[in-house]
Amino acid sequence: MYKIIEKKVLSENVKQMTIQAPLVAGKAQPGQFIILRIDEKGERIPLTIADFDRKSGTITIIFLEVGKTTQQLGTLNVGDVIENFVGPLGMPSEVKKYGTVVCIGGGVGIAPLYPVVKALREAGNYVISILGAKTQNLLILEKEIQLYSNEFYITTDDGSKGQKGFVSDVLKQVIDKKGTINMVMAIGPIIMMKVVSDVTRKYNIKTLVSLNPIMIDGTGMCGGCRVSVDGKTKFACVDGPEFDGLKVDYDNLMLRNRRFVHEEGAACKLVGVVQ
Amino acid sequence: MSVRKTKYEMPEQDPKERIHNFKEVPYGYSKETAIEEAKRCLQCKNKPCMKGCPVEIDIPGFISCIASGDFEKAAEVIKAKNNLPAVSGRVCPYESQCEGECTIKKIGEPVGIGRLERFIADYERVKGAKIPQKVTSSEKKVAVVGAGPAGLTCAGDLAKMGHTVTVFEALHGPGGVLMYGIPEFRLPKKIVNAEVDYIKKLGVDIRYDMVIGKTITVEELFKEYDAVFVGTGAGLPNWLNIPGENLDGVYSANEFLTRINLMRAYEFPTYDTPIKMGKIVATFGAGNVAMDCARTALRLGAEKSYILYRRTEAEMPARIEEIHHAKQEGVEFKLLTNPLRFIGDVQGHLVEVEYQKMQLGEPDDSGRRRPVPIPGSEEKIHIDTALIAIGQSPNPLIPKSMKGLTLGKHGNIVTDDDGKTSIPGLFAGGDIATGAATVILAMGAGKRAARTIDAYVKAKK
């Protein structure tokens, strides 16, 4: 059993929870994820680690309420417990001194970007962060990420904050202005990572993306999270979740992530959740 | 006195009924039938059947107890060697082990050793298993990684020897493949739980959500434990590596079975994990896992359940009973058939598989005749779900995270017969060492490793 010791509502459908999980916190590194199961009848879902504190033995997760499990998770409060919370899983981010790096986060993908930004800055990189969301209210962790960024940009689809448009627009401007970018890290909706990779491919910039396919065990057993990278089948749980963004088959990932949309809808309806 | 040439039948659920439920297929022997079947045993002095038993059960010994009606004693004889008899009594390939060596086979069917083991295990479970008296503690601590058949057997034996044993399991429950892999209708989960309870009552502590190599490293385990046994099994599903394998509708056998067995997707939405199944399902492969997939598909409402296999029935690796049950239930076998590609519709859903017909050529390395394509024999059939059941490779987590550990070419941990690895104090057994094999071979490996570990920790100062 893993206790919820803090809960924050970050935006309408985005919640942050800090969970007591000392063994996971002891090993967690930027880029890794956990799998949780709320109760005995629950499904196992992966969530990327948004922050960790080895001293207090806690892991912070941030999640968008999209399906039955995340909705149910959102109803839990401080003091409640989660039945299973396992990790840290996956390979850590490739944190080292690249030089100038651009860190791009979209929507709830900003959450797992945060520890990576922190680590890249601490490794001596010049960090340019670009955060994007549909609208101002859906932006999260602005202050936290700005604190670790040398340059900081915001875009919203509706122009309610920062530049109106997409993160890829700002990315192009940044690349043109800076000339040399040594690495781009992008975490967010699949379509965002795809568009970002289309931009960086033109400039031949090393690009890392963090993928979030459907998983069950998270230990390399089920093969549900397989993704096609450079034409080869990889398992996001043990080979990833970070991959070379220029080589990922995003269209297949989008298809595979929609595999249970119909069933998910039925489960939500049953518990009176609006999707 | 002449010996009855055939086994006494074990009653089972009607195939027409059972394809609509997940209840266990065979009902097991009654006391009377068990005694009659036990009386078929010739009690051979040289006990040939025992040579075929990886966990070294005194087979004629327990059978003679059944023949005389002493079921409790029979249970004691079995439990002296086998910690999980209700499991092995259901899933062992008896025909190629104990029953394959039975003397009566010369004139007819062997003694139903598997059925008798199952009968005793069930008899004992209903009555409440006797827990052997605790021996004096050895003051030695052993960590076992993985709560599957190898780990549970090893842990149980070590506890019986007086060692303090902790099992570290990555998933949220015990049993490993017994829970996530083998379906309810072949091995009911409450039976696995009862067997695990017995292991716990021996004093074994099982901790869940522990991914060794991630949550805790093996090096860290060595700081607290005198020895470590790795029984992490065969994860990592193998693929056909043909076009279209990532289409929506193509599952690895592991994902399909895990959703249904461990996560209980067949009870969705009472349980949260979904499964999406089409009406025309094709399973690729012909081992026990493939039979499990094809039969599960029927129970989930498939109108057609095919098995596509490159060779012929004679080469199928599945147990005879599984093939027999699959046929009874209406699984259709397309033999000498090799898939070439999966074809999707515009949205990326699987709609067809193209395959070619094969014929058997010269024997290959495995001694089985190699299937060779017949040119121009390509055909397509409509399917909407494909289940890939062509084996698994060893789980990569521990092999990947340990320096100095000698690995085989498939990423398996190399051990000797007694479970020793290249690192002192580290032992391994089951599928992680051998590659995908059977439950009983994993149990046998766990058993041998327990003996080796016992000697190792006792010699350690």
Side-chain angles (χ1 to χ4, degrees), chain B residues 6-254:
Chain B
T6 54
K7 286 182 193 176
Y8 283 87
E9 288 292 316
M10 181 160 59
E12 54 187 36
Q13 252 200 94
D14 187 302
K16 281 194 214 84
E17 289 282 320
R18 71 187 192 226
I19 59 166
H20 300 297
N21 67 53
F22 275 82
K23 286 185 206 140
E24 193 175 11
V25 170
Y27 295 122
Y29 276 158
S30 65
K31 284 181 192 171
E32 295 72 26
T33 318
I35 291 172
E36 287 310 310
E37 182 64 29
K39 285 181 181 162
R40 292 182 64 226
C41 175
L42 300 176
Q43 293 291 322
C44 309
K45 287 238 156 51
N46 57 343
K47 305 182 178 185
C49 47
M50 280 187 66
K51 275 186 244 130
C53 180
V55 291
E56 309 153 14
I57 297 172
D58 176 2
I59 294 166
F62 92 81
I63 292 181
S64 80
C65 296
I66 299 178
S68 63
D70 191 347
F71 303 143
E72 273 172 50
K73 181 81 182 132
E76 255 174 61
V77 173
I78 293 176
K79 278 276 176 76
K81 292 290 183 181
N82 183 357
N83 295 322
L84 313 167
V87 170
S88 52
R90 284 173 167 79
V91 303
C92 259
Y94 327 107
E95 66 257 23
S96 56
Q97 297 179 358
C98 50
E99 294 183 17
E101 307 287 332
C102 179
T103 309
I104 307 184
K105 239 187 109 183
K106 287 174 191 147
I107 56 152
E109 286 179 5
V111 174
I113 300 170
R115 294 172 182 185
L116 291 172
E117 183 187 28
R118 174 195 157 122
F119 167 76
I120 289 300
D122 289 354
Y123 172 86
E124 197 204 20
R125 189 181 61 256
V126 172
K127 271 200 89 217
K130 247 197 226 162
I131 307 301
Q133 227 171 351
K134 280 223 169 92
V135 297
T136 325
S137 167
S138 67
E139 315 265 316
K140 299 288 183 187
K141 291 170 77 180
V142 183
V144 170
V145 186
L152 289 174
T153 301
C154 187
D157 276 12
L158 286 166
K160 284 179 183 168
M161 293 164 181
H163 307 301
T164 304
V165 187
T166 308
V167 179
F168 294 87
E169 168 58 45
L171 288 172
H172 54 260
V177 72
L178 307 175
M179 282 297 195
Y180 74 72
I182 304 177
E184 179 78 17
F185 57 82
R186 198 149 79 80
L187 181 63
K189 302 309 154 217
K190 67 164 201 240
I191 286 173
V192 181
N193 279 326
E195 300 274 72
V196 172
D197 272 348
Y198 171 76
I199 302 284
K200 285 191 200 156
K201 282 184 185 148
L202 293 172
V204 172
D205 180 29
I206 308 182
R207 298 175 66 190
Y208 302 106
D209 299 338
M210 293 289 175
V211 183
I212 301 305
K214 294 282 181 190
T215 316
I216 300 177
T217 62
V218 174
E219 288 81 356
E220 285 171 307
L221 289 179
F222 274 123
K223 285 182 198 151
E224 211 184 314
Y225 296 89
D226 297 292
V228 176
F229 173 79
V230 179
T232 48
L236 224 59
N238 294 341
W239 301 101
L240 292 163
N241 291 316
I242 60 173
E245 212 161 14
N246 290 339
L247 287 168
D248 182 15
V250 184
Y251 292 92
S252 75
N254 275 5

Side-chain angles (χ1 to χ4, degrees), chain A residues 4 8 36 55 82 134 170:
Chain A
I4 301 168
K8 272 189 212 164
L36 64 80
K55 234 194 232 158
I82 293 169
K134 270 189 194 141
V170 177

Side-chain angles (χ1 to χ4, degrees), chain A residues 2 23-24 27 32 37 39-44 68-69 72 83-92 214-228 233 235 238-239 252 255-256 258-260 262-264 266-267 270, chain B residues 170-173 180 207-211 214-217 220 234-237 239 241 245-256 258-259 262-264 268-277 347-349 392 395-397 400:
Chain A
Y2 304 82
L23 287 176
V24 187
K27 289 283 163 36
Q32 290 187 298
R37 191 179 73 135
D39 55 31
E40 197 258 322
K41 290 187 172 154
E43 62 180 333
R44 294 170 66 96
K68 201 235 164 192
T69 299
Q72 190 187 342
E83 180 97 14
N84 303 100
F85 192 90
V86 56
L89 300 169
M91 304 303 288
I214 296 169
M215 283 186 194
I216 308 177
D217 62 297
T219 63
M221 188 271 283
C222 83
C225 70
R226 65 190 187 273
V227 289
S228 176
T233 294
F235 291 175
V238 288
D239 302 319
N252 185 252
L255 166 76
R256 292 188 54 78
R258 282 197 303 265
R259 288 193 292 153
F260 300 103
H262 176 75
E263 288 75 12
E264 187 66 54
L270 210 85
Chain B
L171 288 172
H172 54 260
Y180 74 72
R207 298 175 66 190
Y208 302 106
D209 299 338
M210 293 289 175
V211 183
K214 294 282 181 190
T215 316
I216 300 177
T217 62
E220 285 171 307
L236 224 59
W239 301 101
N241 291 316
E245 212 161 14
N246 290 339
L247 287 168
D248 182 15
V250 184
Y251 292 92
S252 75
N254 275 5
E255 181 184 2
F256 181 71
T258 301
R259 283 183 179 276
L262 178 73
M263 307 308 296
R264 305 182 82 113
F268 178 84
T270 306
Y271 282 77
D272 290 341
T273 303
I275 185 79
K276 193 170 69 181
M277 262 269 315
Q347 279 117 33
H349 304 296
Q392 301 97 29
N395 187 287
L397 284 181
K400 251 186 170 178

